[in-house]
Each structure stands twice: as structure tokens, then as C-alpha cells.
Amino acid sequence: MALFNFTFTNPTTTNGTSTDPADHADKIELCLNDDSISVLASEAQGLTIEQLFRKFAQRLGDVERIVRFQCAGQIVEPSDMPKPGLVYRGAVNAESKG
């Protein structure tokens, strides 16, 4: 019985998509709540971060309720142009009933 098991495998997940960072350099990841979606940089060309969420992230949640966008822990402007290889998160204020 081993205390630790270090297994090194090919950087490909079981569904055939690559997890190699070099393969993700041409994609932009959009996150909302606990879900995310990857968009090719070529599809995002000419769109702002806000437009990108409105066009591609509708199935992740209500993008109309996003109050700010974040990238690498920093708040970014909705009018900024997204950069390939980065992850952008839409933040939604929680509603409370009182």
C-alpha cells in the first residue's frame, strides 16, 4: 500500500480535449457561477468582454445580471478587448429577500 501515488499521463483528458496550456493559448474562457465555456479567439475577434458574454455565455446563466467582469483577480472594464489564453469571470450580485 502506497501513501502517495504519482501518475504521469499524457496531457489529454478522457473526452479527447487537450489540457496542454499551449493548446489553450488561442481560446478565451468565460466563467459564470460554477460553469464555464471556451471560445476560440477567432470567434471573439472584434468583440468586447461584455459582448462576448452576451453572445456566447447565455447558456451559463443570466448574463444581463452581471455587474462586473474579472480577469486574474482584477476587475476589467466591460468595454475592454479580451486576450486569448485568459479566463474572464462575470460576477453577479446575490439577491436577498428581506
Side-chain angles (χ1 to χ4, degrees):
M1 183 169 94
L3 184 58
F4 297 101
N5 183 10
F6 296 100
T7 306
F8 298 99
T9 60
N10 187 0
T12 303
T13 60
T14 56
N15 65 1
T17 60
S18 176
T19 57
D20 186 12
D23 291 341
H24 294 288
D26 66 337
K27 295 181 182 173
I28 299 167
E29 188 170 349
L30 307 177
C31 299
L32 184 63
N33 300 325
D34 293 332
D35 298 322
S36 66
I37 187 170
S38 292
V39 177
L40 292 175
S42 60
E43 293 178 327
Q45 191 170 6
L47 297 174
T48 65
I49 295 170
E50 184 175 27
Q51 291 169 337
L52 199 62
F53 269 85
R54 289 181 189 258
K55 184 172 182 179
F56 294 104
Q58 291 286 336
R59 66 180 178 171
L60 301 179
D62 187 4
V63 296
E64 300 294 326
R65 295 181 52 223
I66 296 175
V67 293
R68 69 181 169 277
F69 298 96
Q70 298 173 331
C71 180
Q74 300 291 320
I75 295 175
V76 293
E77 293 296 321
S79 59
D80 288 351
M81 297 305 235
K83 295 181 179 125
L86 295 179
V87 177
Y88 293 91
R89 178 170 298 280
V92 178
N93 279 343
E95 293 181 6
S96 63
K97 295 183 179 185

